[in-house]
Amino acid sequence: MSYWETIFFWITLLIYSLAAGGYIYAVVFKNPRPLPKLTLFIAAGFITHSAAIGARYLELSHLPWAGDYESALMGGWFITAATLFVAWQNKALQGLATATTPLVIIMMGYGVMRNPTLSPLAANLKSNWLYIHVYFAWLAFGAYALAMAAGVIYLLKRRDPDNPVFERFPALTRLDELMFRFLVFGFITDTLMISAGAIWAKDLWGSYWSWDPVETWSMISWTSYGIAIHLRVTFGWRDARLAWLLIVALSTVIISFFGVNFVISTSQHMFNVR
């Protein structure tokens, strides 16, 4: 990490942590007044988060696409951007940060414990397909994170409907619809991510699919969300069942991005770069 990247990174993590604590306080003590200010906190953290990415780019001349730390840094940025975007579109959705912000904190904390050393991009990663592949990967992760957050808010509101904090959030029927919409958007971008990765793999390794551990878990994740869509459309799974399914399914995405390389060192996938 460069000097300025280090400063901006830890400022970002501090701001996100304060915001997460504020959301927990608001929910536990049933006090909705801090919610608008917490959104501003998240926005301030997003600015310093972007500055950390910019500082790293100035040192390496490429965006942080490879390695556990860079994946966490950029993935957290996409999730926060998605959270702020939907909050800007609809103030009632500001509460989604209650679930997405702790996720971003954990991701960034894990990433910085790996190897954040500045290193040039590997030659085999210098391809236009890298940007297409990773762009859709983070769009999918962001959408799946929002689907999970909507599920968490749904379950909390259903459990404690008289909490004044949850009165600021959308109705249960609206949250159920949002869960499905985020799910579908994530599944489409996930499909594009896998397709772009397969094309790139053909050029890089000579085959579209090699059942590399990361590829395998990506397929498991894609299948999990495909099953969720099927259960919703065909069998009418909605409400709490869909919420729990989306919360559990996010674990497959986390394993795909971070878990595989934590326990397996033989993956030839780009996220194995440390």
Side-chain angles (χ1 to χ4, degrees):
M1 297 173 71
S2 67
Y3 174 78
W4 285 109
E5 180 190 0
T6 302
I7 292 176
F8 286 128
F9 178 89
W10 288 109
I11 291 176
T12 301
L13 207 57
L14 174 62
I15 294 174
Y16 286 164
S17 298
L18 291 174
Y23 282 114
I24 295 171
Y25 165 80
V27 172
V28 172
F29 290 93
K30 301 182 178 182
N31 183 0
R33 286 180 297 177
L35 292 179
K37 297 178 181 178
L38 293 174
T39 302
L40 295 177
F41 250 71
I42 298 295
F46 181 72
I47 293 173
T48 58
H49 196 157
S50 302
I53 293 174
R56 192 170 184 86
Y57 176 83
L58 291 176
E59 291 290 332
L60 298 176
S61 299
H62 69 79
L63 288 172
W65 297 122
D68 291 332
Y69 167 72
E70 293 190 350
S71 295
L73 183 67
M74 204 68 192
W77 186 90
F78 266 91
I79 293 173
T80 305
T83 302
L84 289 173
F85 177 76
V86 297
W88 175 66
Q89 292 285 310
N90 185 349
K91 290 184 178 180
L93 298 179
Q94 292 178 349
L96 294 180
T98 305
T100 58
T101 304
L103 173 63
V104 171
I105 293 171
I106 293 172
M107 286 174 53
M108 294 178 66
Y110 170 80
V112 78
M113 288 191 300
R114 304 294 279 174
N115 188 359
T117 304
L118 295 169
S119 57
L121 193 66
N124 61 349
L125 299 181
K126 294 180 180 179
S127 168
N128 290 330
W129 283 109
L130 167 67
Y131 301 103
I132 299 172
H133 175 63
V134 176
Y135 170 70
F136 283 115
W138 288 127
L139 281 182
F141 200 174
Y144 290 152
L146 290 178
M148 175 276 298
V152 169
I153 297 301
Y154 181 95
L155 293 173
L156 290 174
K157 185 168 185 175
R158 188 185 186 196
R159 180 181 180 86
D160 188 11
D162 296 326
N163 190 327
V165 172
F166 300 143
E167 293 178 1
R168 301 282 189 94
F169 301 164
L172 291 177
T173 53
R174 176 58 175 163
L175 285 170
D176 179 73
E177 179 186 355
L178 287 171
M179 285 190 290
F180 182 65
R181 289 182 180 273
F182 291 143
L183 165 62
V184 171
F185 181 86
F187 185 75
I188 293 172
T189 51
D190 198 358
T191 302
L192 293 172
M193 179 272 289
I194 292 175
S195 300
I199 296 171
W200 183 26
K202 174 65 174 177
D203 179 59
L204 187 62
W205 299 318
S207 64
Y208 290 106
W209 198 266
S210 59
W211 294 107
D212 178 82
V214 173
E215 292 176 344
T216 302
W217 270 101
S218 295
M219 181 57 67
I220 292 173
S221 175
W222 181 84
T223 303
S224 299
Y225 284 101
I227 291 173
I229 293 175
H230 178 68
L231 290 173
R232 168 62 181 258
V233 173
T234 305
F235 297 101
W237 274 42
R238 56 178 65 241
D239 303 329
R241 286 188 297 180
L242 181 62
W244 279 114
L245 185 58
L246 294 177
I247 292 171
V248 173
L250 188 67
S251 64
T252 64
V253 182
I254 294 172
I255 292 173
S256 177
F257 275 96
F258 303 106
V260 172
N261 288 329
F262 184 76
V263 297
I264 298 175
S265 60
T266 57
S267 172
Q268 62 182 353
H269 198 271
M270 56 177 286
F271 294 114
N272 194 46
V273 180
R274 298 194 180 113

